[in-house]
Amino acid sequence: MSNIVVLGSGPAGLTAALYLSRANMPPTVYEGEQPGGQLTTTTEVDNFPGFANGVTGPDLMEAMRAQVERFGAKIVIDTIQRADLSQRPFKLKTEYGGEILADAIILATGASARYLGLPNEKRLQQSGGGVSACATCDGFFYQQQEIAVVGGGDTAMEEATFLTKFASKVYLIHRRDSFRASKIMIERALANPKIEIIYNTVVEDVLGEAKVSGLALRNLVTNETHTLPVTGFFLAIGHTPNTGPFTGQLDVDENGYVLTKPGSTYTSVPGVFAAGDVQDHVYKQAITAAGTGCMAALDCERWLEAQSHGG
């Protein structure tokens, strides 16, 4: 019997575990499919408070993990495959065959950025070679460089516009001849002199060995191919919340993000709390994930206390 289970080991999950452990309620943390969360695929992190000279994503997550373990949380290398939230204690089954009973769950499984599945895309993303799914995180590193964004929704418009603060030119690549983004976001992007739209075009590969040197493009109307020389490639085609084992058991929005009650981390199931990118489709930052992790721990602690008093 684990009284409290935290699912996910990114900033949200580890912050929740830290606060619970400090409250003398150390949880069991299940690392999930990506131990340390998305930050482990990021090289330099310059916008997490407290690191004047920056820190690498893996180093930051290793420090958070050590801090959590210092206060007694147990971290397990495993992933939840199935869940039954119909009654308490909740029942969870892990990838390696473990069965868990939990009085409370903090869901901090994050959201996975969508990629195009190109031959060199993941390699250059994981090595910090110039492929990114977060303009806010990495835009600063492209001062006065020519870069590209792929996408056609509000996120693509917003990221392309944001990147013009740093880049000398931003190519916005879209597979159709019109955007699905809101009118005001499209107008803002079209009016920006640093943004050049490339319509009816798909990216067939990312070029470069250690660093991005260009994109292989194909026009879907003419079928012509050409190389676009850029030093950075940003994907803005959305994220997928990691909620598989809980499908149909928690209220979610139209994009699959877990819904929480306003001003809290309470989900539609009492005793289940959600923190980080699994419930945040707006900010998607390490510091906001950590903040909601803190909120989830405090909400969980107070809720369990109320249950013990018949609340």
Side-chain angles (χ1 to χ4, degrees), residues 111 155 158-159 238-241 252-260 276-285 288:
T155 299
E158 186 176 356
E159 302 241 315
H239 287 72
T240 302
V252 298
D253 69 11
E254 64 275 11
N255 295 311
Y257 288 88
V258 176
L259 291 172
T260 53
D277 288 7
V278 76
Q279 54 84 53
D280 172 22
H281 61 89
V282 178
Y283 302 104
K284 297 178 287 189
Q285 299 299 300
T288 51

Side-chain angles (χ1 to χ4, degrees), residues 8 14 46 64 66 86 93 139 160 173 216 218 224 303 305-306:
L14 292 183
D46 281 324
M64 291 183 73
S86 60
K93 196 154 192 174
I173 303 165
R218 180 169 61 89
E224 293 177 352
W303 183 81
E305 181 69 19

Side-chain angles (χ1 to χ4, degrees), residues 36-142:
Q38 292 187 74
L39 273 189
T40 57
T41 65
T42 302
T43 48
E44 296 300 319
V45 178
D46 281 324
N47 55 5
F48 198 90
F51 297 90
N53 299 312
V55 62
T56 71
D59 284 350
L60 175 58
M61 297 318 301
E62 185 57 40
M64 291 183 73
R65 180 189 176 110
Q67 187 178 13
V68 165
E69 289 181 317
R70 174 188 160 205
F71 288 103
K74 180 182 178 184
I75 299 180
V76 178
I77 303 172
D78 208 342
T79 303
I80 301 303
Q81 295 293 301
R82 291 197 299 277
D84 180 0
L85 305 181
S86 60
Q87 61 181 4
R88 292 179 61 228
F90 304 120
K91 297 175 183 176
L92 304 171
K93 196 154 192 174
T94 76
E95 181 180 2
Y96 296 135
E99 293 188 355
I100 308 157
L101 298 177
D103 273 336
I105 296 171
I106 293 180
L107 185 60
T109 47
S112 299
R114 294 177 190 150
Y115 288 87
L116 296 173
L118 306 174
N120 292 308
E121 182 183 45
K122 270 298 179 84
R123 175 178 64 81
L124 287 165
Q125 183 262 326
Q126 291 171 344
S127 66
V131 173
S132 172
C134 182
T136 309
C137 310
D138 299 323
F140 177 82
F141 302 112
Y142 295 89

Side-chain angles (χ1 to χ4, degrees), residues 3 6 15 43 56-57 72 111 114 119 144 146-148 153-154 184 204 215 232 281 283 286 288 292 294 307:
N3 283 332
V6 175
T15 302
T43 48
T56 71
R114 294 177 190 150
Q144 297 306 307
E146 294 194 0
I147 59 179
D154 279 356
I184 189 169
E204 297 208 312
L215 301 175
H281 61 89
Y283 302 104
T288 51
T292 54
C294 166
Q307 299 309 301

